[in-house]
Amino acid sequence: MRPRHLIMMSLGSAIGAGLFVGSGAGIAAAGPAVLVSYAIAGLIVIAVMRMLGEMVAADPNPGAFSYYVGKALGPSAAFAVGWLWWITLCLVVAAEATAAAQIMAGVVPLFPQWGYALAFMVLFTWINLWGVRSFGEFEFWFSFIKVAFVFLFLALGVAFLLGWTPADSPGLTHITETSFMPNGMGGIAAGLLVVVFAFGGIEIVAVAAAETAEPQRSVRSATRTILWRILLFYMGSVSIMVLALPWDDPSLLESPFVAVLNRAGLPVLAAIIGMIIVAALLSSLNANVYGASRMFYSLAQRGMAPRGMGGVNERAVPSLGVWMSVAFGFVAVLLNYFWAEEVLGLLLNIVGSTLIVTWSSAIIAHLVLRTRAEKAGEQLPLTMWLFPYLSWATLVGLVGIIVLGFTVPDVRTQLLLTFGLFGALLVVGVITTRRDAQRA
């Protein structure tokens, strides 16, 4: 891939259903104070990506955080992290194909939901088998569409607030005439649990960097964009939402972008938001097929999956890794045929909170590897700010989110399922790696 592919991917990786749909749930939980929730989650994301960027710049590898966890904590931990992330991405691919098909079947009912899901799976399997350049180019334009729409939304939102659109502007009344924290600190905490999961997916940039022409320069540029992306895209969009409508308006919970555009007197633009959300979902589907296939390839290369499945085709694509990563997506097509309405909810519940494990393991690996590098006197091409204090503070922040999550029944269930699966994979990893060591 070219550097522009990775940079645009870093811009678009977190702009998905979490922003287009999930931001409304955050506002409903915290009111205008959801901006505080986004600020806290954003700081954690920025720090995690900087730590990942440091490790990637020093040693690019398609196994990314699994590979770095292996270097820091041993092969059994690498096994558990890598397989947990791969399993989750396979489920996410199926969920995204289902969600995109569900919207398309409602907006353009030319085919049934399962037909759209099948078409999406075939298309993006082919794109990923064709080569990394083709993947990068498709992802570049998908991300461009998402970024361009958010810029347009921000411009129209500002125009509405200034009274330059057909509808009357509310000015600042929706924040001056109500409490900034209508649900108190508990609302901010509840909002944090909603918004932190909206940033899932940014870690794919660390996987993709290994196949970029200039990984060190590309990673440096990509991590630098994260700060203003979060400030502009997330904080900017949510600020427009809480200014344009009362925080407890039910239309925000259903579809916040549509609600704002309708309120601004721009129903034509609101009508096309469904297609933008489809583009966002398909972009994530494309990226997750790529990320899962590279993780599977890396696991096979390190002897943590069948080594015979770690080869590449004539286009340097791990084709078996691609097929293994899309297999459940095609199973989901069949599930869509029989149980169209229930599939999406089931898949989303299974996915759980894997990003908490991924980010936590990446931070721990960074702490270990950076300490080793400093003791050895190594010069790193990219370094984490305020090491080790900010790294430890980020880890403490994630632990705080985990503790907070256990106070909410639905989140507690997801956390327990994720930790249970991780524990089982860790046991398998210990057994597998010990057996391989004895054979060697």
Side-chain angles (χ1 to χ4, degrees):
M1 283 190 289
R2 296 174 181 173
R4 69 179 176 89
H5 293 146
L6 189 69
I7 292 169
M8 185 58 79
M9 192 186 304
S10 75
L11 286 171
S13 57
I15 302 176
L19 176 60
F20 289 124
V21 181
S23 51
I27 294 171
V34 73
L35 292 170
V36 177
S37 303
Y38 271 105
I40 295 170
L43 289 173
I44 291 174
V45 170
I46 290 166
V48 169
M49 284 305 298
R50 184 72 179 193
M51 286 182 263
L52 273 173
E54 177 184 303
M55 295 185 286
V56 170
D59 187 9
N61 187 280
F65 31 86
S66 170
Y67 173 73
Y68 305 129
V69 167
K71 289 177 65 177
L73 304 176
S76 56
F79 180 98
V81 170
W83 276 106
L84 178 67
W85 195 71
W86 181 81
I87 290 169
T88 300
L89 255 62
C90 291
L91 293 171
V92 169
V93 164
E96 285 161 343
T98 298
Q102 199 172 72
I103 294 172
M104 284 297 295
V107 176
V108 188
L110 295 177
F111 303 102
Q113 182 173 312
W114 70 267
Y116 277 114
L118 177 61
F120 294 148
M121 288 305 306
V122 170
L123 174 62
F124 290 100
T125 300
W126 175 80
I127 288 171
N128 277 271
L129 287 172
W130 190 253
V132 70
R133 177 70 63 85
S134 118
F135 158 77
E137 201 62 35
F138 270 88
E139 194 58 26
F140 176 89
W141 289 109
F142 270 127
S143 295
F144 180 83
I145 291 170
K146 293 189 291 184
V147 170
F149 176 79
V150 173
F151 271 118
L152 176 62
F153 174 80
L154 291 172
L156 292 173
V158 171
F160 168 52
L161 295 172
L162 293 175
W164 298 346
T165 64
D168 294 332
S169 169
L172 301 177
T173 58
H174 292 143
I175 59 170
T176 58
E177 297 179 3
T178 187
S179 170
F180 181 71
M181 295 192 299
N183 294 325
M185 292 299 296
I188 293 177
L192 182 59
L193 288 172
V194 174
V195 304
V196 73
F197 295 106
F199 292 105
I202 60 166
E203 65 276 4
I204 285 180
V205 174
V207 175
E211 291 188 87
T212 306
E214 302 172 70
Q216 290 185 357
R217 184 170 73 84
S218 300
V219 166
R220 189 186 301 270
S221 299
T223 53
R224 282 175 178 169
T225 66
I226 289 170
L227 176 59
W228 68 264
R229 178 184 73 191
I230 288 173
L231 288 174
L232 182 62
F233 293 166
Y234 274 86
M235 302 290 283
S237 296
V238 175
S239 295
I240 294 293
M241 293 170 193
V242 297
L243 287 168
L245 289 162
W247 70 271
D248 55 353
D249 190 309
S251 63
L252 279 174
L253 191 58
E254 294 173 10
S255 184
F257 281 77
V258 172
V260 171
L261 293 173
N262 279 328
R263 178 66 182 83
L266 302 167
V268 174
L269 288 173
I272 68 171
I273 187 65
M275 301 308 295
I276 301 296
I277 294 174
V278 169
L281 289 166
L282 295 181
S283 171
S284 297
L285 190 159
N286 189 35
N288 286 328
V289 171
Y290 171 85
S293 63
R294 268 49 179 188
M295 181 60 74
F296 189 89
Y297 168 78
S298 176
L299 289 168
Q301 288 287 306
R302 289 177 283 153
M304 298 176 186
R307 289 189 182 276
M309 305 190 78
V312 296
N313 63 18
E314 64 278 5
R315 296 187 180 90
V317 174
S319 52
L320 287 174
V322 172
W323 283 114
M324 289 293 292
S325 301
V326 299
F328 186 72
F330 283 101
V331 171
V333 171
L334 189 62
L335 298 179
N336 272 278
Y337 180 80
F338 290 105
W339 302 288
E341 297 301 320
E342 294 82 6
V343 172
L344 184 58
L346 176 64
L347 290 172
L348 290 176
N349 284 330
I350 293 174
V351 167
S353 46
T354 303
L355 69 89
I356 294 290
V357 175
T358 301
W359 291 358
S360 300
S361 63
I363 295 170
I364 295 169
H366 165 261
L367 285 164
V368 173
L369 296 178
R370 174 67 177 273
T371 302
R372 286 181 191 170
E374 291 192 345
K375 287 181 179 178
E378 295 178 21
Q379 294 295 317
L380 299 173
L382 183 68
T383 56
M384 175 62 180
W385 313 291
L386 300 175
F387 179 83
Y389 308 107
L390 187 53
S391 301
W392 279 109
T394 306
L395 184 59
V396 169
L398 277 179
V399 171
I401 289 173
I402 293 171
V403 172
L404 196 61
F406 273 100
T407 66
V408 180
D410 289 344
V411 178
R412 180 169 62 242
T413 300
Q414 288 191 355
L415 287 168
L416 288 172
L417 287 171
T418 300
F419 294 154
L421 178 57
F422 179 74
L425 289 169
L426 191 60
V427 171
V428 174
V430 169
I431 296 170
T432 303
T433 54
R434 183 179 297 170
R435 184 185 62 205
D436 291 344
Q438 291 172 347
R439 288 176 179 174

